[in-house]
Amino acid sequence: MKLEGLFQGKNSVLYSSESESVLYEKLSNTIHRGRRDGLNGLQKRIEEVDYKPIFETSSLKRLQDDPLSILFLEITEQCNFGCSYCIYSENYPNERTETSKNMSFDTAKKAVEGLIPLSKNNVMIGFYGGEPLLNMGLIRQIMNYSKEKFPDKEFGFSMTTNFFNADRYIQEIVDNGMYINLSLDGPKEIHDECRRTKNGKPTYDKIMSNLKKVEEYSPGYVDSHIFILSTCDNPADIPRIIDFFDQNRYFVTHINSPDPKGRVNLEKRIPLEGSGINLSKEFIRRILNGEDPKILRRLFDQDLKSVAVRDGRVMPQELMLSGSCYPGKKRIFVDVNGDYHPCERFGHRLNIGSVEEGVQQNLVDDTIESFAKIRSDLCGECWAQRICSPCLQHAKDPEGEFSLEGLSQTCEGKKSQLLIALENYTKLFQSDTQKTENYIKSINPLFERRLI
């Protein structure tokens, strides 16, 4: 995507694309289209307005009575892979390192006993690592204990795994209806470049063999219970990754890049613009042709919906902390030591309690107030303030817990994504309003599958 004459101000952004210019302004949260000379004058007047709303916390704090949905347990800090982009590798000196430490059954029991009562009838227990399959014995104990301890609860179980050793446990996985978040980066040559065993052996063929064995044991299970997590270390690989997943039936939930925060030895990569394929153009083409964009949804849907479903108020003085969960409610992450954290993506940062003392409400309240202040201080001079919805994890600080600096490190990338979303949105509506409206209604920001 190439935008001409891009100007980003404190209240608006203006660019030209093909036959028209587009101005988005946050004062009334409105998109204007027309001639550049007319929009230039409008933008000048908009930029003269002093508008700095604050982010309030009451709307988020109202969620403090919501039930727990997902309990993540860090089963082990061990892993049998040596992935080049792993956040627990030497490339991230401020993160925890890989160790041989496992969660004890006593810690797991205390977490289950203390947190499962906070859920309603349905609750998911997710097993996390490291590589959880290296401690399948503990997983087995937890599943059995949870069902025995809380017979009135309907449990779902999930695992975030490289799936390399899954052939040993296929019957247990399937018979327990376990949902699998499987790391698969795309075609063999891309996957094996980064995801290798500790001794450097490729892993793609073994993983694909294990998927085949699952399907042989339980036809349809791969379609219904396997979720693919793809990490793209090189933006130039995106077109081939898209093509691979388009040609396969696997259900992809995310295409992510490795976390750049705190990463050393970061190689210079070929920018996506040099790949020769305009993915935005293909995304728009499929929608207008009535086709499912398939894997392209993972790149564009969430930001497209943020632009499409906008708050219609003019210059509200308070904005909600949209995009963030209430820490310790919808989901909670328990590390191998029994400490509580807001989610698994935070790792061992930001302690909000433990199996011994429970969730500490004062720590949760402090976290929410601090995040609101960070957003109020950082976002006031940003044109994307009303369509950008970062979660707390986006403010993760490489050397601490979370901070204004941590959030600011994500800003340029997020604004680039929102510019793509603005362009996609305006082009779609200009071409076919009804198809665009129908498509936006179909967007689910989570998954198209019902997990439990």
Side-chain angles (χ1 to χ4, degrees):
M1 181 191 70
K2 187 176 182 181
L3 302 179
E4 302 289 346
L6 177 65
F7 178 83
Q8 302 183 65
K10 65 180 182 180
N11 293 327
S12 63
V13 61
L14 174 65
Y15 64 86
S16 298
S17 176
E18 297 180 358
S19 62
E20 66 175 0
S21 292
V22 176
L23 171 68
Y24 164 76
E25 47 91 359
K26 72 180 185 183
L27 305 184
S28 58
N29 217 4
T30 300
I31 300 170
H32 308 267
R33 291 162 40 199
R35 292 173 54 88
R36 181 81 185 207
D37 51 0
L39 293 181
N40 277 333
L42 177 58
Q43 185 181 46
K44 183 178 180 180
R45 296 194 298 275
I46 287 169
E47 288 300 311
E48 291 173 350
V49 176
D50 185 21
Y51 176 51
K52 294 182 180 179
I54 64 169
F55 286 87
E56 52 85 11
T57 60
S58 59
S59 58
L60 183 57
K61 287 182 177 179
R62 283 198 293 268
L63 304 178
Q64 66 182 8
D65 294 326
D66 282 3
L68 179 73
S69 297
I70 306 176
L71 167 60
F72 283 100
L73 300 175
E74 187 180 41
I75 296 301
T76 182
E77 290 184 348
Q78 298 182 74
C79 189
N80 50 346
F81 277 23
C83 301
S84 59
Y85 52 62
C86 180
I87 200 166
Y88 302 130
S89 70
E90 65 278 3
N91 291 322
Y92 292 87
N94 295 305
E95 300 292 336
R96 75 153 176 86
T97 57
E98 182 188 336
T99 75
S100 59
K101 190 167 187 176
N102 293 327
M103 177 179 280
S104 69
F105 182 48
D106 182 63
T107 296
K109 282 174 59 179
K110 289 177 179 177
V112 168
E113 291 167 357
L115 295 171
I116 294 303
L118 303 180
S119 68
K120 283 193 173 179
N121 294 331
N122 296 345
V123 62
M124 180 76 70
I125 297 180
F127 303 112
Y128 204 77
E131 172 47 49
L133 285 172
L134 297 180
N135 196 8
M136 191 64 185
L138 179 60
I139 292 174
R140 188 181 303 120
Q141 285 181 290
I142 294 170
M143 290 192 295
N144 292 335
Y145 179 76
S146 299
K147 289 183 283 189
E148 292 170 3
K149 181 70 176 179
F150 299 100
D152 295 332
K153 299 283 187 181
E154 184 178 344
F155 284 97
F157 300 104
S158 70
M159 181 189 301
T160 301
T161 172
N162 59 41
F163 216 57
F164 194 74
N165 289 339
D167 50 325
R168 306 175 189 177
Y169 308 110
I170 287 174
Q171 183 176 348
E172 280 188 273
I173 289 171
V174 173
D175 290 356
N176 281 286
M178 188 176 292
Y179 292 95
I180 299 296
N181 299 306
L182 190 160
S183 297
L184 180 67
D185 287 352
K188 177 179 172 64
E189 62 275 15
I190 292 175
H191 177 94
D192 282 344
E193 181 179 354
C194 295
R195 300 190 63 81
R196 292 176 171 266
T197 64
K198 281 286 197 295
N199 57 6
K201 292 184 178 179
T203 60
Y204 177 89
D205 290 338
K206 177 74 179 299
I207 293 168
M208 299 304 286
S209 173
N210 288 344
L211 283 171
K212 183 178 179 181
K213 290 175 181 178
V214 170
E215 191 63 15
E216 289 171 350
Y217 179 75
S218 179
Y221 198 86
V222 171
D223 285 337
S224 62
H225 284 72
I226 304 288
F227 298 83
I228 301 297
L229 310 176
S230 174
T231 300
C232 176
D233 196 31
N234 186 346
D237 290 334
I238 280 281
R240 284 193 292 161
I241 293 171
I242 295 293
D243 183 64
F244 173 82
F245 286 121
D246 267 352
Q247 300 305 316
N248 288 277
R249 63 185 178 177
Y250 306 120
F251 189 87
V252 180
T253 58
H254 297 288
I255 299 180
N256 294 321
S257 298
D259 191 346
K261 291 183 182 179
R263 186 178 180 183
V264 297
N265 302 321
L266 185 61
E267 296 180 29
K268 184 176 178 59
R269 294 299 195 177
I270 301 170
L272 181 58
E273 290 78 7
S275 67
I277 295 180
N278 189 321
L279 298 177
S280 290
K281 185 177 291 186
E282 176 63 12
F283 177 67
I284 291 170
R285 185 196 69 77
R286 293 185 188 184
I287 293 173
L288 295 178
N289 283 352
E291 303 173 24
D292 184 355
K294 296 182 180 177
I295 186 60
L296 290 172
R297 281 181 174 270
R298 302 295 169 249
L299 299 179
F300 302 118
D301 267 12
Q302 185 174 353
D303 292 320
L304 178 63
K305 193 158 190 175
S306 294
V307 170
V309 186
R310 303 188 304 280
D311 178 2
R313 294 176 297 164
V314 177
M315 294 180 65
Q317 294 306 299
E318 293 186 333
L319 302 177
M320 295 188 297
L321 280 176
S322 55
S324 184
C325 299
Y326 187 94
K329 283 297 178 180
K330 184 177 180 181
R331 61 201 295 143
I332 194 164
F333 174 65
V334 184
D335 67 29
V336 288
N337 304 308
D339 291 325
Y340 293 172
H341 310 276
C343 80
E344 73 285 0
R345 286 172 290 183
F346 246 105
H348 288 208
R349 283 178 174 80
L350 196 54
N351 190 303
I352 58 170
S354 71
V355 294
E356 302 296 341
E357 58 189 5
V359 175
Q360 298 298 289
Q361 191 61 46
N362 63 312
L363 297 179
V364 172
D365 289 342
D366 289 347
T367 296
I368 294 172
E369 294 294 339
S370 296
F371 187 50
K373 186 177 188 308
I374 286 170
R375 292 216 59 197
S376 295
D377 291 346
L378 179 65
C379 304
E381 298 287 324
C382 179
W383 62 264
Q385 182 181 35
R386 295 184 67 184
I387 55 174
C388 183
S389 301
C391 75
L392 182 62
Q393 184 266 340
H394 289 114
K396 184 176 74 171
D397 190 302
E399 297 182 10
E401 292 187 341
F402 68 106
S403 66
L404 185 149
E405 175 60 26
L407 184 59
S408 69
Q409 290 179 30
T410 70
C411 290
E412 290 308 311
K414 188 59 182 178
K415 284 190 283 188
S416 296
Q417 293 171 352
L418 289 170
L419 280 169
I420 293 172
L422 282 166
E423 177 71 347
N424 287 344
Y425 179 76
T426 53
K427 284 190 174 300
L428 284 166
F429 259 95
Q430 186 179 30
S431 301
D432 193 318
T433 301
Q434 190 59 55
K435 281 186 177 178
T436 302
E437 289 179 346
N438 290 340
Y439 180 78
I440 289 168
K441 290 176 183 177
S442 77
I443 296 174
N444 185 330
L446 300 176
F447 302 121
E448 285 82 355
R449 289 182 185 162
R450 181 174 179 270
L451 290 183
I452 181 172

